[in-house]
Amino acid sequence: MRLITCIIVALSLCVPGCSSDQTNEQSGDLYTLTVQNLNSSGKTIGVCTGTSPVSVMEENFPKAHLAYFPNGPAGYQALLAHRIDAFAYDRHVMNYITLTAPELAIMPGFTSELHLGVGAAKDQSELINRVNEYIRQYKEDGTFEDMFQRWTTSSDPQMPDVPEAIHAVDTITVGTEAVNPPMNFRGENGEIVGFDIEFARRLALFLNVKCEIIPMSWDALLLATQKGKIDLMIAQLDNIPVHRERMLISDDYLSSSIALLVRKENLPGIHTSLSDDEFKSFLQQGSVGIQSGSAQESLIQKKFPGMPSHYFDDVPDLIQALRNSMVDIAFMTHYAFLSHLRKNPDEFRLLIYPGSERGIAIACNKEKNDLRTQINFLLSQYEREGVLEDMRQRWLYSTVYREPELPERGQECPPLHIATSLDLEPANFILKGQPAGFDIELAKRLAYDLEMRPVISNMSFKEVLPAVAGGTADIALAHISKTEERAEKVNFSRPYVFDEFALLVRKTWLNQVSSDLSYIGPAPGTSDSNGSFLSGCENVYHALERTLVDENRWLLFARGLGVTLLITLTSAIFGTLLGFILGILQRSHIVPFAWLLRTLIYLIRSVPLVLFLLFLYYAVFEDLGLSAILASIIAFSIKLGANLASILDDGLNTVSESEIKAAISLGLSRFQRFRLVTFPQAIVTGMARYKSELISLFKATTIVGIIPVEDLTKVSTIIRTRTYEAFVPLLLVILVYLFLAWFFVFLLNAIGGQTHVESQSGSPKRRSRHARS
């Protein structure tokens, strides 16, 4: 079957008249128009004259022809008229365009940083300093977030009433283009509105001046600003060297990115023009899977209340459920699905939710504002120097990951505790047995420049923000988007990357329910497996190879096994000692003390182990700086000790009064009676329960992954994030636990038998017989 398919594809390439788009479609590429084939002599990319997309396109698409336009709308019209293949411009503007022009879409796989500032003449340094003061204020007091959501996520944003300065001391003239919605454009009755205009009016109120908006063409704006004909230029002015040579430019009042706008017909698997009603209708056609604690969960509850959804703790489980048809739609972010799409281009399709772009930021503890300030400064520096753009190209848009060698500080430097969730490739995942990804590299760079050493803790996504809020971690990098609810518990840095919500669906399901969504693509291929025993063995062999051999993942299993055994054996030793001590102390003749201790033991035994572990780690040990492994050992030791204290007490109560009186008549002291009479019999009575408790302790170690401990079970989850296969990793863990449980039972039976013989040899009856002889 595979050979026949290859022959058909090869013959189709030889047929004259086939377009390049058709060729790509039949070859099963993820997108008909890709970043790779856009860089060719037959493609034309539109740009605006005198803007940063010109140099970015020349650098990234040297083979393509550039077409120059005076403004954005001229470029959109050329794209719709098929005169160009793509148009490079501000991504925020493009989000709005896709909401109003259903024929257009943003091309996945390419982006470049865009820094927008306010321009002024060279002699206006004092005015620019005041502008910078306002920019810092409007980002801190929430004004920026409100403006950003209003202007970039709606197809019909409304201009708010911004009051004018009551006692204005002067008037400033602000130049803008008035042709680029939603930033600056003509609204109802010809009034100039938009993000830039609202910003200008709020800035004027801050400066206690009146604001006069003057529309001009782009070239005229640059010249008027340079010569001081206008006070300020607020028109998506990109902070690039050629502009800085001619004028002063403020700090970024809006961080954006350069993206490529294309005709949607060239992106068969992407639908970026669904309205809220269409989006809701689409979601209602199938079962929806969402990651617990994610921003998507909040969006569903806010915009589509009552919609039934299935919740998953991590992305691999969500995708596995999608592959197994447990859900029809996976709702996450674009980048969360990138690596899976690259690995399975013929299995799934991606649908972008329009206007959902969110800034991905670093979560910081609220008590460490200085740390957040330093991080924001470093992020701005990384953007200016091109570090973040280089990281995006290597991690987000490349099919081969290139991880640089980064220096690290020594043990003499203070630690920077970083919370993450290593289950979201390519942001944060395990590569060659070590944490890797965009977020991990960024964390290491920040730690080094802060003169700190990174201490990375892996935990589930829903535990990341509580770890930062509770002080267990200083910062969190786990592809976190800022929401109002999250901002109440932690502080967020400036965004270091932008992502948007997306749906991942099976192609077969999409064909069945959404034939009207302009789905264009090859029919899903059929499996070439004949279901034979040999083919099944081959599949298992490859799965084992991916699970253990690739990237030396067997080292992960070995490390996880070591952690599991460490927790089990250490807890068994300390739990046994604690159980012996508690078992003796609870029989104290001091009645209040004995009653209090018995009550405490009862309460510990009554609390489920999972809750007990969570309570100790997050509520008790978070301020002590204890590692998660040590916290697990303490929790398991206390739990085992309480259970063993009860077992010892029951065993001691089985010794009859007659035997104790006989021991007293022999003149044995209280300690001798305990050592020679009651304790040996208690061991014999409670040995079976003791062995059962130890085996239960070992099995219970599977839960320690709920806190940042990479035990054997957690490692299997980590590997599933890379292979997207659950059967083999989980089967290996089951086999390891079965073998170790059998080995521990054998060992305990051997020890228990020897203990039984020794206890019998030390009983009073045997001692009395020896005495008579």
Side-chain angles (χ1 to χ4, degrees):
M1 178 67 72
R2 185 177 299 173
L3 178 61
I4 295 174
T5 303
C6 292
I7 294 174
I8 293 174
V9 172
L11 290 175
S12 66
L13 295 176
C14 301
V15 177
C18 290
S19 68
S20 61
D21 287 353
Q22 291 170 332
T23 301
N24 285 329
E25 181 182 339
Q26 292 303 319
S27 66
D29 285 350
L30 184 57
Y31 309 117
T32 302
L33 184 62
T34 67
V35 174
Q36 289 73 25
N37 63 34
L38 185 59
N39 184 29
S40 61
S41 58
K43 302 296 182 182
T44 302
I45 303 175
V47 292
C48 286
T49 306
T51 60
S52 56
V54 175
S55 58
V56 172
M57 293 302 106
E58 289 175 345
E59 179 181 354
N60 290 275
F61 302 92
K63 297 181 181 179
H65 172 70
L66 296 186
Y68 295 88
F69 298 92
N71 51 52
Y76 314 147
Q77 293 301 319
L79 184 62
L80 288 169
H82 294 249
R83 296 201 303 269
I84 58 177
D85 299 290
F87 182 67
Y89 205 58
D90 182 351
R91 186 182 186 91
H92 294 322
V93 176
M94 290 185 179
N95 282 336
Y96 177 85
I97 296 303
T98 59
L99 292 172
T100 56
E103 303 89 345
L104 302 180
I106 296 176
M107 172 183 283
F110 177 82
T111 188
S112 180
E113 279 297 311
L114 184 63
H115 310 287
L116 304 179
V118 178
K122 285 280 191 178
D123 59 355
Q124 295 293 327
S125 58
E126 184 177 350
L127 177 58
I128 286 295
N129 289 336
R130 292 282 287 157
V131 171
N132 288 336
E133 288 181 26
Y134 176 70
I135 290 174
R136 286 190 292 269
Q137 174 182 305
Y138 107 118
K139 287 185 176 180
E140 291 176 357
D141 63 14
T143 303
F144 166 74
E145 289 294 332
D146 175 65
M147 291 173 56
F148 182 85
Q149 292 297 325
R150 182 165 4 93
W151 289 108
T152 65
T153 62
S154 172
S155 60
D156 186 25
Q158 299 298 315
M159 184 76 178
D161 292 328
V162 180
E164 293 185 353
I166 299 177
H167 302 292
V169 296
D170 201 353
T171 299
I172 60 170
T173 53
V174 176
T176 192
E177 284 190 283
V179 295
N180 289 314
M183 304 303 292
N184 44 74
F185 62 104
R186 298 279 182 178
E188 296 179 2
N189 303 322
E191 181 185 6
I192 303 176
V193 296
F195 185 101
D196 289 345
I197 309 307
E198 180 180 346
F199 174 83
R201 298 196 182 281
R202 292 185 182 277
L203 172 63
L205 182 62
F206 174 81
L207 297 175
N208 193 30
V209 296
K210 291 185 178 180
C211 179
E212 180 183 356
I213 305 296
I214 303 177
M216 298 183 184
S217 67
W218 178 257
D219 291 337
L221 276 172
L222 294 175
L223 184 61
T225 306
Q226 181 182 0
K227 294 186 176 295
K229 300 294 184 181
I230 57 175
D231 296 313
L232 296 174
M233 174 181 176
I234 306 179
Q236 297 172 275
L237 176 65
D238 36 0
N239 193 344
I240 55 177
V242 66
H243 291 159
R244 290 197 298 269
E245 292 174 0
R246 304 171 64 180
M247 66 185 75
L248 296 178
I249 301 180
S250 72
D251 296 338
D252 299 349
Y253 74 93
L254 178 63
S255 296
S256 186
S257 58
I258 301 170
L260 292 168
L261 194 67
V262 297
R263 292 183 297 278
K264 192 175 71 174
E265 64 191 34
N266 291 336
L267 302 180
I270 305 297
H271 311 285
T272 58
S273 59
L274 298 176
S275 65
D276 280 351
D277 291 338
E278 292 171 332
F279 185 75
K280 181 177 182 180
S281 175
F282 183 79
L283 290 179
Q284 290 175 337
Q285 297 184 64
S287 56
V288 183
I290 308 173
Q291 185 182 22
S292 300
S294 64
Q296 293 77 32
E297 179 181 1
S298 301
L299 178 71
I300 288 289
Q301 295 173 351
K302 181 179 180 180
K303 283 199 170 186
F304 314 114
M307 177 173 291
S309 304
H310 302 274
Y311 296 93
F312 299 85
D313 288 337
D314 50 49
V315 177
D317 287 343
L318 173 58
I319 293 179
Q320 190 68 33
L322 182 65
R323 299 185 72 176
N324 296 336
S325 300
M326 296 172 60
V327 297
D328 301 309
I329 304 168
F331 189 20
M332 271 296 293
T333 63
H334 178 203
Y335 292 141
F337 296 138
L338 272 182
S339 62
H340 193 67
L341 282 169
R342 294 189 186 114
K343 297 173 184 177
N344 304 275
D346 296 327
E347 187 176 1
F348 297 107
R349 283 302 185 201
L350 185 70
L351 291 80
I352 303 297
Y353 180 35
S356 63
E357 187 181 52
R358 300 271 181 113
I360 306 301
I362 300 172
C364 305
N365 185 277
K366 278 188 172 290
E367 298 179 358
K368 298 184 177 181
N369 286 325
D370 291 342
L371 178 61
R372 184 180 68 160
T373 301
Q374 291 176 296
I375 289 175
N376 282 336
F377 174 80
L378 289 173
L379 290 177
S380 299
Q381 179 179 319
Y382 295 161
E383 287 180 352
R384 290 194 304 269
E385 297 175 352
V387 174
L388 289 178
E389 179 57 29
D390 174 66
M391 291 173 58
R392 293 187 191 98
Q393 294 300 326
R394 285 188 287 105
W395 290 112
L396 304 180
Y397 307 126
S398 175
T399 56
V400 179
Y401 299 127
R402 292 181 289 112
E403 188 175 18
E405 291 290 338
L406 298 176
E408 291 189 10
R409 303 290 181 178
Q411 292 296 320
E412 69 278 2
C413 295
L416 178 65
H417 294 283
I418 304 163
T420 189
S421 182
L422 298 174
D423 61 4
L424 187 63
E425 184 183 354
N428 29 68
F429 61 105
I430 293 291
L431 180 65
K432 299 179 181 178
Q434 298 296 326
F438 185 99
D439 289 352
I440 303 302
E441 179 180 336
L442 181 58
K444 292 180 179 179
R445 289 183 181 275
L446 289 171
Y448 183 81
D449 290 334
L450 292 169
E451 296 186 356
M452 305 176 76
R453 54 183 174 86
V455 179
I456 299 174
S457 298
N458 179 27
M459 56 190 73
S460 66
F461 181 79
K462 60 184 178 182
E463 295 169 343
V464 169
L465 290 177
V468 176
T472 306
D474 300 316
I475 61 174
L477 284 95
H479 205 70
I480 305 170
S481 57
K482 179 181 177 181
T483 63
E484 294 180 1
E485 182 180 7
R486 291 171 176 174
E488 295 177 357
K489 299 179 180 178
V490 297
N491 288 330
F492 283 93
S493 71
R494 60 180 298 170
Y496 59 87
V497 74
F498 288 89
D499 200 357
E500 51 199 340
F501 295 160
L503 306 179
L504 190 69
V505 298
R506 295 185 307 277
K507 288 170 56 178
T508 51
W509 181 83
L510 184 64
N511 282 342
Q512 295 172 1
V513 303
S514 302
S515 58
D516 59 333
L517 289 177
S518 303
Y519 171 70
I520 307 172
T526 57
S527 173
D528 60 354
S529 172
N530 56 10
S532 67
F533 174 78
L534 290 178
S535 65
C537 291
E538 182 180 0
N539 292 335
V540 172
Y541 172 78
H542 288 306
L544 282 171
E545 187 176 33
R546 286 191 296 271
T547 302
L548 295 176
V549 179
D550 290 356
E551 300 179 359
N552 291 325
R553 290 176 184 142
W554 66 271
L555 292 174
L556 281 176
F557 268 104
R559 190 168 65 193
L561 177 59
V563 171
T564 297
L565 292 177
L566 173 65
I567 294 175
T568 301
L569 298 178
T570 309
S571 301
I573 294 172
F574 287 105
T576 300
L577 293 175
L578 181 62
F580 176 78
I581 294 172
L582 293 176
I584 300 302
L585 291 179
Q586 69 178 341
R587 301 176 69 85
S588 171
H589 292 293
I590 304 175
V591 178
F593 175 76
W595 180 87
L596 181 63
L597 195 59
R598 287 179 181 275
T599 302
L600 180 61
I601 292 173
Y602 172 79
L603 292 176
I604 293 175
R605 294 186 62 206
S606 300
V607 177
L609 182 55
V610 174
L611 295 179
F612 189 65
L613 177 61
L614 290 173
F615 176 77
L616 287 183
Y617 182 69
Y618 288 110
V620 179
F621 296 146
E622 64 178 3
D623 296 329
L624 302 180
L626 296 181
S627 69
I629 293 179
L630 182 57
S632 300
I633 292 174
I634 294 175
F636 277 64
S637 298
I638 294 175
K639 192 72 173 178
L640 178 63
N643 291 336
L644 294 185
S646 177
I647 292 174
L648 179 59
D649 186 56
D650 292 342
L652 294 175
N653 289 333
T654 60
V655 181
S656 64
E657 286 290 333
S658 60
E659 292 185 80
I660 296 177
K661 290 179 180 179
I664 294 174
S665 65
L666 291 175
L668 299 180
S669 65
R670 184 176 179 182
F671 175 72
Q672 288 175 322
R673 293 197 301 270
F674 174 78
R675 182 174 67 86
L676 300 175
V677 180
T678 56
F679 184 63
Q681 294 189 63
I683 291 179
V684 173
T685 304
M687 180 55 67
R689 292 175 61 189
Y690 174 68
K691 291 188 292 185
S692 177
E693 286 292 336
L694 291 183
I695 297 301
S696 298
L697 169 72
F698 167 65
K699 294 177 180 179
T701 56
T702 55
I703 70 169
V704 297
I706 62 174
I707 63 176
V709 175
E710 291 185 12
D711 68 312
L712 192 59
T713 306
K714 187 65 170 287
V715 164
S716 70
T717 300
I718 292 173
I719 291 178
R720 284 190 290 124
T721 67
R722 300 288 285 119
T723 63
Y724 294 98
E725 292 179 350
F727 179 77
V728 172
L730 291 177
L731 179 61
L732 288 176
V733 173
I734 290 174
L735 293 177
V736 169
Y737 266 93
L738 286 175
F739 172 77
L740 290 178
W742 171 84
F743 176 76
F744 287 147
V745 169
F746 173 79
L747 187 63
L748 290 172
N749 283 336
I751 297 175
Q754 183 66 27
T755 304
H756 178 74
V757 172
E758 291 177 357
S759 65
Q760 290 296 325
S761 64
S763 67
K765 294 180 180 180
R766 295 181 63 86
R767 288 180 57 86
S768 62
R769 286 199 296 269
H770 287 307
R772 287 195 297 270
S773 61

